[in-house]
Amino acid sequence: MSTQTPRRGPLAAVKVLDLTRVRAGPACVRQFADWGADVIKIESPDYMEVSDGWGGLRDGPDFQNLHRNKRSLTLNLKDPDGLAVFYQLVAEADVVAENFRPDVKFRLGIDYDTLAKINPRLVYASISGFGQDGPYAKRPGFDHIVQGMAGLMSVNGDPAHGPMRAGFAVADVGAGMYCAMAILTALIERQTSGLGQWVQISLLQTMIAMLDFQAARWLFLHEIPGQSGNDHPTSIPTGVYPTADGYINIAAGEQAMYRRLCLALDRPDLVEHPEFNSEALRSQNRRALNDVLSAIIRTRSTSAWIAAFERASVAAGPINKINEVFADPQVQHLGVAQPLRHPRLGDIDVVGQPFSLSRTPSQLRTAAPDRGEHTERVLRELGYPSERIAALRAKGAI
């Protein structure tokens, strides 16, 4: 069993009740856990055979990466005594986060209006696939489905190969990050009003927001962006080019950067070439320009070009496999991989926070907890004596 160490950090005064599962919700709550909040993960007791612990994958990299720094309490929220324990926790909590189907919270009696009567200062966060109401509210929301519905797959990939999903759960993780920002916004507003509120976010809204300039192209200009493969949709040359031993990324669409690229390639004539001498012309003649650049760049190795472009201040970089990412000296310098000690797995690494604070850094204290690992400890904090805890366990409320 992991040993809880004292919390510290900018969110050490915040208590979060985590009802989330799978990815979007846990990605949100992880932000609070890493920055010092007391996060209590509410899980179903083992006998209920609910897969909110991801079954046998609990010791796998995904679960461990999502649920570090949390405590685990098992509660049967369908049992009146289990629900009573939850209500006691709500009374002193700052945040409740959930990503059930929109109707589940009301059936269980844990919806925002119900909990706000117990604790008016509560910030209640709901993550869903498509929103808490509307024509799609009851649809199951999955990252892959939303990538298609929100337009990402229509602009991602090569047009010769049809729609293409992103290689990671961009809608899930994005929704988690936006939700964490929304909760923090509500907590800051609470300092003025003294009241909590209901935070709502959906994977669909998140994915559209993350399309950013591609979505704005339609809203402003009624342009329907298409797939552009490894090329940037509008800024050329920005894309992938073959080298003598692999590939390299180059981003040189802006005029001054393009000039530096041409000089680094020892082709100053390309700067004033009549088909390539403006950003608009380069976008219009991208295929011809890419053919010229590819013929030059494939004559030298990736590392040779990286060195040359660095000297010339041209934006370029290798295309790394994941193992190469974590072997990169800059990645190691930034400390992206963070160590943890797990009671069964031993020393493990997880992905650290992508931002830092100078005085109050994030802290990885404990590995993901076992299901119900902290049930007795949390109940004792609420004032439950041993005999009452035993009775709750015997009837299946915890």
Side-chain angles (χ1 to χ4, degrees), residues 13-36:
V14 176
K15 176 170 283 189
V16 180
L17 304 183
D18 180 11
L19 293 167
T20 68
R21 56 194 69 200
V22 190
R23 185 175 314 283
C28 165
V29 177
R30 175 177 58 192
Q31 295 304 108
F32 294 86
D34 284 3
W35 294 97

Side-chain angles (χ1 to χ4, degrees), residues 37-149:
D38 180 14
V39 175
I40 301 175
K41 179 172 170 54
I42 311 293
E43 305 191 66
S44 301
D46 282 322
Y47 77 88
M48 296 181 71
E49 298 183 346
V50 176
S51 61
D52 50 3
W54 290 38
L57 298 178
R58 195 177 189 100
D59 286 351
D62 203 7
F63 191 91
Q64 292 297 317
N65 193 52
L66 283 169
H67 294 287
R68 73 276 186 113
N69 284 341
K70 299 179 182 180
R71 300 197 284 168
S72 174
L73 164 71
T74 51
L75 284 180
N76 179 359
L77 294 176
K78 298 179 180 179
D79 183 285
D81 287 332
L83 188 59
V85 172
F86 182 70
Y87 287 163
Q88 284 184 264
L89 288 166
V90 167
E92 58 184 44
D94 297 285
V95 178
V96 168
E98 61 87 17
N99 60 347
F100 297 120
R101 294 190 312 274
D103 59 323
V104 170
K105 65 179 75 64
F106 297 99
R107 294 206 311 267
L108 291 174
I110 58 171
D111 56 281
Y112 171 68
D113 287 340
T114 298
L115 300 189
K117 293 174 183 176
I118 300 171
N119 181 357
R121 290 175 54 81
L122 184 71
V123 174
Y124 188 104
S126 295
I127 303 176
S128 62
F130 303 102
Q132 295 298 307
D133 46 35
Y136 300 162
K138 293 185 178 180
R139 290 188 184 182
F142 290 90
D143 179 274
H144 185 94
I145 305 302
V146 171
Q147 286 194 33
M149 291 181 67

Side-chain angles (χ1 to χ4, degrees), residues 115-254:
L115 300 189
K117 293 174 183 176
I118 300 171
N119 181 357
R121 290 175 54 81
L122 184 71
V123 174
Y124 188 104
S126 295
I127 303 176
S128 62
F130 303 102
Q132 295 298 307
D133 46 35
Y136 300 162
K138 293 185 178 180
R139 290 188 184 182
F142 290 90
D143 179 274
H144 185 94
I145 305 302
V146 171
Q147 286 194 33
M149 291 181 67
L152 174 64
M153 293 172 66
S154 75
V155 299
N156 190 48
D158 191 297
H161 299 100
M164 182 67 65
R165 69 182 295 275
F168 71 104
V170 58
D172 276 341
V173 175
M177 296 301 98
Y178 274 121
C179 189
M181 183 166 61
I183 293 169
L184 291 170
T185 302
L187 288 173
I188 292 172
E189 191 280 336
R190 189 181 71 173
Q191 295 175 3
T192 302
S193 68
L195 296 173
Q197 53 189 306
W198 188 7
V199 170
Q200 301 178 33
I201 193 165
S202 71
L203 271 64
L204 182 62
Q205 290 167 289
T206 293
M207 196 68 266
I208 296 170
M210 293 183 72
L211 287 176
D212 197 58
F213 75 94
Q214 294 283 50
R217 287 173 67 186
W218 164 253
L219 293 176
F220 270 65
L221 305 174
H222 281 192
E223 292 179 357
I224 301 177
Q227 293 169 287
S228 54
N230 284 320
D231 286 340
H232 189 279
T234 59
S235 180
I236 303 299
T238 299
V240 176
Y241 297 89
T243 65
D245 59 354
Y247 295 90
I248 190 173
N249 261 325
I250 297 173
E254 189 266 331

Side-chain angles (χ1 to χ4, degrees), residues 251-270:
E254 189 266 331
Q255 194 68 19
M257 185 74 76
Y258 176 67
R259 178 182 297 274
R260 294 199 294 271
L261 171 67
C262 295
L263 296 178
L265 296 175
D266 198 24
R267 287 293 303 273
D269 59 296
L270 294 176

Side-chain angles (χ1 to χ4, degrees), residues 366-381:
T366 58
D370 287 338
R371 186 195 294 247
E373 179 177 339
H374 304 95
T375 297
E376 291 198 19
R377 185 179 303 170
V378 173
L379 291 177
R380 290 187 187 281
E381 291 171 2

